[in-house]
């Protein structure tokens, strides 16, 4: 790999421009089995949007069930069929399956692959000054493994016994015993196979990203001149390489428990009064393995969104990002701390209280680098010349949800407080705000900002404003009330609460949440329409529509495989020289222009910034 990387570096630095031009591309090699990182980024994005649409539809179906339990709806019969919605009434098996697959799709197939897969592929070569990824072939393999795992996951919806129904965390024994419930059968097997392929895809992609950042930076692109986007994507890849294999081992052991008679996670199980031949295993072992990936996974999802936000806020504030080195340090601190906090998901598992206090300490510690990022964003915005385009609005929205969701994390990170609200809607409200909505805002911001780079056209700004404001109000309308019904004790994953008179007073709140959820889901159709129509009919983009400093805006609007037609530009400064004045402070460094691209040499007596 290093030999290939060095050869590519040499080629990039000498400016040979025959890379990828010596053969005529066919439709299949250009659009399907492409090895061009820009096309693979589009493939990840479009596949992720399709999966996201399916995931949101599932959430609307089970929200309707929670708001109006045991009522008949034609929409249930249309989507779920007579078997799972007899006479239009959803049955409990269907509800649990929808919750499980919704969580799996959104966490792994939309937020992980949609963010990392799309923006790592698009931005890493363009922003570090490389012709392509270290290995275009492995990049292509990574996408197609992702596509195959997506197809397998969706195919589990159509097996006779139904899809996996053990929750997205697939705790044993429901996931380890095929005979436990209908959703423990073939659908669970397909879930495990799909995830094994997904993890292989993530590892291949992550290794490619790491090698590319380390080996293929252009002349002058030191690590301290990298945009924060690249730092975030680079560290995200490292977290993935460290933590994803642990989930793979858990999945393989689950497969062995299910099919080969082992007892890694099973012990003393009774079904219908009959003792099963399992002993010695522990379901808590699975929890440790799952959450060792599961908590870093939160940061695999949110770090790319924070990196995207850093770039967009600096660009649209027309100011240097505040505290560049502190931001890099906070990314590295989050990466380290994310691997030693997994136990806060297990405070009610019978954990030793001393160990619980250790996990409480490390969990509360992670609030420090998270707060550094939030305060630095606010300081960058302060007194900036703000350009309020849709990408900027979604970035500011991310800062808002990251703070509000993060504050409730302080409660859930404390073992004494967490025990009271664990497995209630309070937890759902917390992680949807801090991870789900924040990461989706990052995804939307990135699409609005880099759409001109991906497709050579601009998205409709007015439709973007509608999309943001309805989504922002709707998201808080859904998840803010959930904190209160959670504190009232309403448990999650119950498909109806009508058997508990204690919760009758919360029924109206659940109806309100569902109305907001339906409105928020519908406005995503505005985004989908804007996205698809702009690809074909959007206003043609200029080379640098946002007056940005980073290298991707020095490439031509028309895509070429190799990014730059001639020599790759060298870098002479960091990526945040916005509104920088000249030596006598009479004008900007480039007169009349409030930005200085990275490939512009330092002027005489000009001081380089990278604070």
């Amino acid at each position: 790999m290093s030999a290939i990387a060095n050869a590519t570096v040499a080629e990039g630095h000498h400016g040979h421009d025959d890379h990828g031009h010596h053969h005529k591309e066919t439709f299949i090699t250009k659009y399907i089995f492409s090895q061009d990182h820009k096309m693979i980024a589009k493939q990840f994005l479009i596949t992720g949007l399709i999966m996201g649409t399916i995931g949101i539809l599932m959430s609307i179906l089970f929200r309707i069930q929670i708001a109006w339990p045991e009522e008949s709806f034609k929409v249930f019969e249309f989507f779920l069929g007579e078997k799972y919605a007899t006479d239009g009434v959803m049955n409990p098996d269907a509800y649990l399956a929808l919750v499980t697959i919704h969580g799996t799709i959104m966490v792994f197939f939309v937020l992980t692959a949609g963010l990392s897969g799309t923006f790592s592929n698009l931005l890493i070569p363009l922003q570090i000054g490389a012709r392509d990824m270290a290995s275009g072939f492995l990049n292509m393999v990574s996408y197609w493994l992702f596509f195959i795992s997506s197809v397998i996951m969706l195919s589990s919806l159509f097996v006779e016994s139904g899809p996996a129904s053990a929750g997205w965390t697939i705790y044993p024994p429901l996931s380890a015993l095929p005979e436990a419930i209908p959703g423990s059968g073939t659908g669970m097997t397909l879930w495990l196979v799909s995830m094994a392929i997904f993890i292989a895809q993530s590892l291949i992609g992550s290794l490619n990203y790491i090698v590319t950042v380390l080996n293929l930076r252009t002349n002058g692109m030191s690590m301290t001149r990298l945009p924060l986007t690249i730092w975030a994507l680079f560290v995200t890849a490292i977290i993935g390489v460290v933590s994803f294999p642990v989930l793979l081992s858990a999945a393989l052991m689950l497969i062995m428990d299910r099919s080969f008679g082992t007892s890694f996670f099973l012990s003393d199980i009774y079904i219908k009064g009959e003792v099963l031949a399992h002993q010695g295993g522990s379901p808590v072992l699975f929890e440790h393995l799952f959450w060792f990936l599961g908590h870093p996974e939160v940061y695999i999802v949110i770090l790319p969104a924070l990196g995207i936000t850093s770039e967009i806020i600096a660009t649209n504030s027309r100011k240097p990002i505040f505290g560049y080195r502190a931001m890099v340090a906070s990314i590295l601190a989050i990466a380290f701390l994310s691997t030693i906090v997994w136990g806060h998901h297990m405070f009610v598992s019978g954990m030793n209280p001393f160990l619980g206090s250790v996990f409480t300490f490390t969990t509360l510690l992670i609030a420090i680098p998270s707060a550094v990022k939030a305060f630095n964003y606010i300081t960058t915005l302060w007194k900036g010349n703000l350009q309020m385009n849709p990408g900027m609005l979604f970035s500011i929205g991310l800062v808002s949800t990251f703070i509000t969701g993060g504050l409730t994390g302080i409660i859930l990170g404390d073992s004494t407080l967490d025990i009271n609200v664990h497995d209630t809607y309070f937890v759902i409200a917390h992680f949807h705000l801090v991870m789900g909505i924040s990461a989706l805002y990052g995804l939307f911001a990135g699409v609005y900002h880099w759409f001109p780079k991906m497709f050579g056209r601009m998205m409709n700004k007015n439709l973007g404003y509608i999309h943001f404001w309805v989504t922002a109000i709707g998201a808080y309308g859904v998840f803010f009330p959930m904190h209160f019904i959670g504190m009232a004790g309403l448990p999650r994953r119950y498909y109806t609460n009508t058997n508990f008179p204690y919760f009758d007073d919360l029924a109206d709140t659940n109806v309100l949440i569902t109305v907001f959820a339906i409105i928020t889901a519908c406005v995503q159709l505005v985004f989908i329409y804007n996205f698809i129509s702009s690809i074909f009919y959007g206003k043609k983009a200029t080379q640098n529509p946002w007056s940005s400093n980073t290298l991707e805006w020095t490439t031509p609007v028309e895509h070429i495989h190799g990014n730059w037609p001639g020599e790759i530009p060298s870098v002479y400064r960091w990526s945040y020289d916005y509104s920088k004045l000249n030596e006598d402070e009479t004008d900007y460094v480039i007169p009349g222009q409030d930005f200085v691209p990275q490939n512009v040499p330092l002027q005489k007596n000009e001081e380089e910034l990278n604070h």
Side-chain angles (χ1 to χ4, degrees):
M1 180 71 81
S2 62
I4 296 171
N6 290 336
T8 314
V9 170
E11 176 195 348
H13 289 173
H14 288 92
H16 294 169
D17 62 348
D18 59 349
H19 185 80
H21 291 281
H22 57 275
H23 63 279
K24 186 168 169 50
E25 289 191 310
T26 64
F27 180 85
I28 295 209
T29 60
K30 186 173 182 182
Y31 293 105
I32 301 176
F33 296 112
S34 175
Q35 295 187 27
D36 181 1
H37 69 99
K38 300 181 290 297
M39 183 56 66
I40 293 170
K42 293 182 201 174
Q43 291 174 326
F44 268 108
L45 177 60
I46 291 168
T47 309
L49 290 177
I50 292 168
M51 294 296 281
T53 304
I54 295 167
I56 290 172
L57 174 63
M58 289 178 171
S59 69
I60 295 306
L61 292 175
F62 65 67
R63 279 305 323 171
I64 292 172
Q65 166 61 30
I66 296 167
W68 300 284
E70 297 167 18
E71 288 193 27
S72 175
F73 290 95
K74 287 289 181 189
V75 68
F76 289 166
E77 212 166 334
F78 178 78
F79 283 109
L80 304 174
E82 185 66 25
K83 180 181 176 183
Y84 291 108
T86 308
D87 296 327
V89 178
M90 186 186 295
N91 71 24
D93 290 339
Y95 177 82
L96 194 52
L98 286 171
V99 171
T100 300
I101 303 300
H102 161 79
T104 304
I105 284 177
M106 296 308 286
V107 171
F108 294 110
F109 293 88
V110 179
L111 299 179
T112 302
L115 270 164
S116 275
T118 300
F119 294 105
S120 294
N121 271 301
L122 178 70
L123 297 179
I124 287 176
L126 286 171
Q127 289 197 336
I128 69 171
R131 294 289 184 197
D132 206 320
M133 286 290 179
S135 171
F137 175 76
L138 285 181
N139 212 16
M140 177 189 75
V141 169
S142 173
Y143 168 72
W144 281 103
L145 287 176
F146 169 64
F147 181 81
I148 291 166
S149 69
S150 304
V151 170
I152 293 172
M153 184 62 69
L154 294 179
S155 69
S156 71
L157 297 170
F158 303 100
V159 298
E160 190 175 352
S161 59
S165 301
W168 78 275
T169 56
I170 58 160
Y171 284 171
L174 289 183
S175 58
L177 291 171
E179 63 269 40
I181 57 173
S184 299
T186 309
M188 189 71 240
T189 302
L190 289 170
W191 192 102
L192 290 166
V193 171
S194 171
M195 286 308 300
I197 296 171
F198 177 87
I199 292 165
Q201 167 265 314
S202 293
L203 289 173
I204 291 171
S206 295
L207 290 169
N208 213 355
Y209 306 150
I210 292 167
V211 171
T212 305
V213 172
L214 290 178
N215 287 347
L216 300 190
R217 301 191 306 278
T218 188
N219 284 330
M221 181 63 85
S222 63
M223 295 298 279
T224 53
R225 287 174 174 170
L226 286 175
L228 288 171
T229 328
I230 301 300
W231 270 108
L233 296 168
F234 174 61
V235 172
T236 298
I238 294 172
I239 301 174
V241 170
V242 169
S243 57
F244 263 118
V246 180
L247 182 63
L248 181 61
S249 67
L252 292 175
M253 286 193 277
L254 255 185
I255 291 169
M256 293 173 76
D257 275 9
R258 289 171 60 82
S259 305
F260 301 109
T262 57
S263 297
F264 291 109
F265 308 127
L266 295 169
S267 180
D268 306 329
I269 302 288
Y270 292 77
I271 289 187
K272 296 177 183 173
E274 182 184 340
V275 185
L276 300 185
H278 292 284
Q279 58 184 11
S282 169
V284 177
L285 170 62
F286 179 84
E287 289 189 43
H288 280 292
L289 293 173
F290 181 89
W291 287 115
F292 189 82
L293 166 275
H295 201 79
E297 169 67 22
V298 171
Y299 296 101
I300 289 172
V301 163
I302 196 65
L303 276 180
L306 293 172
I308 288 166
T309 297
S310 302
E311 178 68 26
I312 294 174
I313 283 181
T315 301
N316 290 294
S317 297
R318 314 311 296 166
K319 279 177 64 181
I321 193 80
F322 184 86
Y324 174 86
R325 290 177 183 271
M327 294 288 260
V328 172
S330 70
I331 291 171
L332 295 171
I334 285 171
F336 171 69
L337 291 170
S338 73
T339 61
I340 54 172
V341 297
W342 77 90
H344 68 223
H345 297 271
M346 300 170 58
F347 285 146
V348 296
S349 67
M351 177 187 289
N352 181 305
F354 173 75
L355 193 57
S357 66
V358 171
F359 280 119
T360 296
F361 174 72
T362 56
T363 301
L364 297 181
L365 209 57
I366 211 166
I368 297 171
S370 300
V372 166
K373 298 194 83 62
F375 285 125
N376 283 12
Y377 290 140
I378 293 167
T379 314
T380 305
L381 290 165
W382 181 253
K383 293 189 176 179
N385 177 19
L386 305 185
Q387 318 292 308
M388 287 300 188
N389 51 53
M392 181 64 155
L393 288 173
F394 273 109
S395 297
I396 296 172
L398 184 151
V399 177
S400 168
T401 54
F402 189 63
I403 292 171
T404 49
L407 287 172
T408 54
I410 295 172
I411 296 170
L412 294 172
D414 187 310
S415 55
T416 315
L417 299 173
D418 173 75
I419 287 168
N420 299 288
V421 290
H422 196 91
D423 247 350
T424 70
Y425 273 83
F426 191 90
V427 179
I428 292 181
H430 160 71
F431 80 75
H432 274 85
L433 276 180
V434 79
M435 184 182 90
I437 298 300
S438 296
L440 275 177
Y441 282 1
L443 176 65
F444 290 140
V447 171
Y448 281 111
H449 188 75
W450 280 290
F451 190 89
K453 191 80 268 166
M454 284 193 270
F455 298 102
R457 293 179 182 270
M458 306 295 288
M459 291 183 76
N460 184 304
K461 194 180 281 191
N462 292 328
L463 291 179
Y465 291 145
I466 294 168
H467 178 217
F468 169 74
W469 284 111
V470 179
T471 301
I473 295 166
Y476 272 127
V478 172
F479 297 112
F480 200 71
M482 279 189 189
H483 292 96
F484 299 104
I485 62 176
M487 285 189 284
L490 191 70
R492 60 196 285 206
R493 293 187 184 152
Y494 282 30
Y495 95 115
T496 174
N497 298 293
T498 49
N499 291 333
F500 308 103
Y502 175 77
F503 296 128
D504 286 350
D505 290 344
L506 305 179
D508 289 343
T509 310
N510 261 327
V511 171
L512 178 71
I513 290 170
T514 299
V515 169
F516 272 117
I518 292 169
I519 293 169
T520 310
C522 288
V523 83
Q524 305 317 309
L525 297 175
V526 174
F527 170 74
I528 297 294
Y529 168 78
N530 193 359
F531 181 83
I532 294 172
S533 65
S534 296
I535 291 175
F536 300 103
Y537 307 113
K539 176 186 167 189
K540 290 205 168 174
T542 56
Q543 186 175 21
N544 189 358
W546 313 118
S547 299
S548 187
N549 289 340
T550 41
L551 287 181
E552 75 269 29
W553 305 107
T554 63
T555 62
V557 177
E558 297 298 323
H559 288 174
I560 56 170
H561 195 165
N563 296 333
W564 288 270
E567 193 170 339
I568 295 177
S570 295
V571 166
Y572 301 95
R573 58 182 73 232
W574 74 330
S575 48
Y576 299 104
D577 274 344
Y578 292 103
S579 302
K580 189 178 183 183
L581 299 176
N582 59 18
E583 191 183 6
D584 56 9
E585 299 191 356
T586 55
D587 202 344
Y588 297 121
V589 170
I590 301 176
Q593 181 175 302
D594 68 348
F595 67 103
V596 192
Q598 283 187 280
N599 61 331
V600 174
L602 289 169
Q603 294 191 359
K604 187 180 178 184
N605 298 324
E606 184 189 349
E607 183 183 349
E608 183 182 0
L609 302 176
N610 60 357
H611 48 68

